[in-house]
């Protein structure tokens, strides 16, 4: 039950804090859960109650809440050099080594990494990169972004426009030019008597129809989570990416794999794209990138996009 005393932690939380993604009437009835610390996969509140945090924080605390090695590494680095940027041709030695490692473990033979503060910001940055790249190559009209209904890509104005969730309509989103295909959920979206292979073929045909209807020369990129995370943990139907990628390549549309949730082992492979047998043009990473110990996102560019962005910058 909610502690009604005016100086309780719950009352103090209600008085001065907004909760993200929360049903406020429910909180009004039962109060917030104010946490103090964690141990392994468990968290503890101000009343000493223990909870199994089955969602791993926000899909990110995959090493637990008190991993001694991660905590010590962070403390040591704060003592040595607490933080820096990557502007003006400057970069910390740790950033250089991380970029090397990310490209090494990526499915790309070569590439470059651009860092952000979150997965939302990384998706937002990737869209800007695509707009910049196409514009520099003389294709200013290549602005539209294709994603899927029920997909989740973030909370910035651009990444929320990519997110195919109806609740974003309260913000007047999506912005113009953000297009959403059928959710690749065979159980819910399959037609009566339709096999999984036929469902995949129908979704591939829908993609090509959208490209032709909108104009291939207006499409900047296609973004997809290998497994839809916040959309319900929905794996793709069999052969899905193998059916879609040739269509995207046919019309010169980059395929971006949003691995904010899927990346670093959650599918049993380092990357979700590896689990489902495709190599994208770029990977969006966050969450497991730091195991939740500090906020960070990354755009990992494959060799072709690296070369094209390098040329655009020059």
């Amino acid at each position: 039950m909610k502690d009604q005393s005016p100086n309780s932690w719950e009352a103090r939380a209600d008085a001065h804090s907004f909760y993200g993604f929360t049903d406020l009437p429910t909180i009004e009835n039962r109060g917030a859960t104010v946490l103090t610390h964690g141990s392994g996969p468990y968290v503890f509140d101000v009343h000493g109650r223990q909870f199994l945090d089955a969602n791993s924080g926000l899909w990110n605390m995959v090493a637990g809440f008190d991993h001694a090695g991660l905590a010590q590494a962070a403390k040591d680095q704060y003592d040595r050099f607490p933080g820096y940027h990557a502007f003006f041709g400057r970069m910390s030695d740790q950033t250089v080594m991380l970029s090397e490692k990310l490209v090494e473990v990526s499915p790309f033979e070569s590439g470059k990494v651009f860092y952000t503060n979150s997965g939302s910001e990384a998706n937002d940055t990737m869209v800007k990169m695509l707009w910049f790249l196409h514009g520099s190559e003389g294709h200013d009209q290549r602005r539209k972004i294709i994603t899927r209904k029920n997909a989740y890509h973030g909370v910035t104005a651009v990444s929320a426009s990519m997110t195919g969730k109806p609740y974003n309509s309260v913000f007047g989103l999506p912005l113009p030019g953000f297009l959403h295909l059928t959710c690749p959920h065979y159980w819910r979206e399959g037609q009566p008597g339709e096999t999984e292979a036929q469902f995949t073929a129908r979704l591939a045909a829908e993609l090509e129809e959208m490209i032709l209807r909108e104009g291939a020369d207006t499409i900047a990129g296609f973004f997809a989570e290998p497994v839809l995370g916040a959309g319900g943990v929905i794996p793709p139907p069999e052969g899905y990416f193998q059916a879609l990628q040739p269509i995207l390549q046919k019309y010169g549309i980059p395929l971006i794999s949003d691995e904010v949730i899927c990346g670093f082992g959650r599918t049993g492979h380092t990357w979700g794209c590896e689990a489902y047998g495709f190599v994208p043009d770029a990977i969006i990473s966050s969450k497991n990138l730091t195991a939740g110990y500090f906020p960070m996102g990354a755009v990992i560019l494959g060799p072709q996009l690296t070369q094209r962005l390098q040329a655009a910058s020059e």
Side-chain angles (χ1 to χ4, degrees):
M1 293 294 294
K2 181 177 180 179
D3 187 337
Q4 301 293 335
S5 60
N7 292 321
S8 70
W9 283 103
E10 292 85 353
R12 291 163 63 186
D14 286 347
H16 299 292
S17 301
F18 260 130
Y19 311 101
F21 211 86
T22 299
D23 179 62
L24 295 181
T26 301
I27 297 301
E28 179 65 25
N29 292 329
R30 66 172 173 82
T33 302
V34 182
L35 303 172
T36 58
H37 66 287
S39 177
Y42 298 96
V43 292
F44 300 82
D45 74 359
V46 291
H47 305 292
R49 293 178 298 185
Q50 175 179 304
F51 303 87
L52 174 62
D53 196 324
N55 208 45
S56 299
L58 202 59
W59 310 77
N60 57 352
M61 304 298 297
V62 291
F65 293 92
D66 59 349
H67 190 287
L70 289 176
Q72 188 61 51
K75 293 172 186 175
D76 292 345
Q77 185 59 36
Y78 275 122
D79 287 340
R80 179 172 176 263
F81 198 14
Y84 206 67
H85 57 75
F87 285 18
F88 318 124
R90 304 173 190 173
M91 185 172 287
S92 74
D93 56 351
Q94 303 300 309
T95 308
V96 172
M97 290 190 290
L98 178 58
S99 297
E100 291 173 336
K101 178 56 69 173
L102 286 175
V103 173
E104 176 189 328
V105 302
S106 80
F108 306 132
E109 295 181 359
S110 62
K112 289 190 176 183
V113 184
F114 185 95
Y115 294 100
T116 65
N117 296 307
S118 68
S120 299
E121 188 183 325
N123 273 311
D124 198 294
T125 298
M126 185 73 250
V127 170
K128 290 192 293 183
M129 285 179 168
L130 292 171
W131 287 345
F132 168 59
L133 181 155
H134 292 307
S136 74
E137 295 176 345
H139 303 290
D140 291 333
Q141 72 280 12
R142 277 191 176 262
R143 303 279 297 180
K144 297 173 184 174
I145 300 295
I146 301 176
T147 59
R148 290 91 53 79
K149 294 176 182 176
N150 219 29
Y152 184 91
H153 295 286
V155 297
T156 61
V158 165
S159 62
S161 294
M162 297 162 65
T163 294
K165 290 286 195 176
Y167 55 69
N168 279 320
S169 64
V170 302
F171 308 116
L173 299 174
L175 297 169
F178 289 84
L179 313 173
H180 301 100
L181 293 164
T182 297
C183 176
H185 190 177
Y186 174 52
W187 177 58
R188 285 193 179 275
E189 301 293 340
Q191 297 174 351
E194 187 176 47
T195 66
E196 188 169 347
Q198 290 170 335
F199 177 64
T200 296
R202 177 162 63 86
L203 296 192
E206 180 193 32
L207 170 63
E208 187 157 26
E209 288 166 6
M210 176 180 281
I211 293 170
L212 294 175
R213 181 176 66 252
E214 300 290 334
D217 61 352
T218 70
I219 310 296
F222 175 83
F223 286 67
E225 303 163 272
V227 175
L228 275 75
V233 192
I234 309 302
E238 186 175 357
Y240 177 77
F241 287 102
Q242 289 71 29
L244 267 59
Q245 190 164 31
I247 297 170
L248 296 169
Q249 292 172 339
K250 176 181 176 181
Y251 296 104
I253 300 170
L255 168 57
I256 314 302
S257 186
D258 183 346
E259 304 259 3
V260 169
I261 291 176
C262 294
F264 296 105
R266 198 176 289 277
T267 63
H269 295 73
T270 302
W271 305 103
C273 60
E274 293 175 327
Y276 293 100
F278 70 98
V279 178
D281 295 287
I283 287 174
I284 305 300
S285 179
S286 189
K287 295 192 184 293
N288 294 355
L289 176 62
T290 65
Y293 275 60
F294 58 93
M296 190 181 207
V299 178
I300 307 172
L301 300 166
Q304 187 181 63
L305 284 184
T306 294
Q307 293 167 9
R308 292 171 68 186
L309 276 167
Q310 184 77 28
S313 298
E314 292 172 358

